Amino acid sequence: MKHFFLVAPSLLLLILVSSCSSGWTTLFDGSSLDGWREVGNANWELTDGTVSADSGSGFLVTEDSYGDFEMTVEFWVDEPANSGVFIRCADPQNITAGNSYEVNIFDMRPDPTYATGGIVNVAAPSSVINTANQWNTYEIRAQGSRLVLTLNGTQTVDVTDDQFSQGPIALQYGAGTVRFRNVQIRSLE
């Protein structure tokens, strides 16, 4: 019994140190939009641990800028949804696929070249993964000029492109119903 009381605090300390040293930072936890600002007129709303929109057009943009990182983003969209995760935004007031990397969420894109799982104007997805009406997870890694996307455990992009090296992150609402939750990031610098 004495050994348990000596080992338990040491084990708890080890668990706490391990979880803190992982380096992950929560950008959105479902309870507030602290650290984000709105650009455009999308009707963003906090509900049930998510942020969602279903009308207007716009972005939630991080106040901070990021260079080399890996991040995870969970999203839910309906079939007609048009959305995306924009990274390394060069102009956070006027975000486009031409001044940032648009990690696309658009299953019904008229030109499917850069559908969900691709980076618009940079890399087509290697796999077609329909994401409508279910929770999905993007893992995005941006390190130097190398960009790697994984969607629901399947790597869809591994490309080298040096157009953008740093900038805020933006969550997009364009059409349909879009929800985000559990947005986390870890610096690779």
Side-chain angles (χ1 to χ4, degrees):
M1 188 73 147
K2 285 182 181 181
H3 294 295
F4 172 77
F5 289 111
L6 293 175
V7 173
S10 299
L11 184 59
L12 180 61
L13 181 61
L14 179 62
I15 291 168
L16 288 172
V17 168
S18 295
S19 65
C20 291
S21 66
S22 70
W24 287 97
T25 300
T26 299
L27 296 178
F28 175 70
D29 66 0
S31 65
S32 80
L33 291 175
D34 291 346
W36 297 85
R37 60 185 177 74
E38 294 183 40
V39 173
N41 65 353
N43 67 334
W44 296 108
E45 177 181 49
L46 291 171
T47 309
D48 299 326
T50 70
V51 61
S52 62
D54 61 8
S55 70
S57 178
F59 299 88
L60 290 175
V61 183
T62 60
E63 293 174 354
D64 293 331
S65 187
Y66 301 92
D68 291 347
F69 62 87
E70 59 186 340
M71 68 181 295
T72 60
V73 179
E74 293 181 19
F75 66 92
W76 185 100
V77 292
D78 62 4
E79 193 170 331
N82 179 2
S83 182
V85 178
F86 288 67
I87 62 172
R88 295 179 172 173
C89 300
D91 181 357
Q93 293 297 348
N94 182 32
I95 300 164
T96 70
N99 65 16
S100 57
Y101 294 113
E102 179 184 357
V103 177
N104 209 8
I105 303 170
F106 194 4
D107 290 353
M108 305 303 291
R109 191 173 197 266
D111 169 8
T113 305
Y114 302 113
T116 304
I119 302 174
V120 176
N121 302 325
V122 175
S126 61
S127 299
V128 175
I129 300 174
N130 290 316
T131 58
N133 301 310
Q134 64 184 2
W135 279 103
N136 303 275
T137 302
Y138 257 138
E139 296 171 33
I140 302 167
R141 184 179 180 93
Q143 188 165 26
S145 61
R146 187 171 181 207
L147 306 169
V148 179
L149 304 182
T150 303
L151 176 58
N152 297 337
T154 300
Q155 184 174 297
T156 58
V157 167
D158 187 343
V159 68
T160 301
D161 188 277
D162 61 1
Q163 292 179 74
F164 312 106
S165 61
Q166 186 163 333
I169 293 166
L171 306 178
Q172 179 194 30
Y173 174 77
T177 299
V178 176
R179 297 181 184 115
F180 292 100
R181 69 180 184 190
N182 300 327
V183 181
Q184 296 186 324
I185 195 164
R186 176 168 57 182
S187 175
L188 297 175
E189 299 178 273

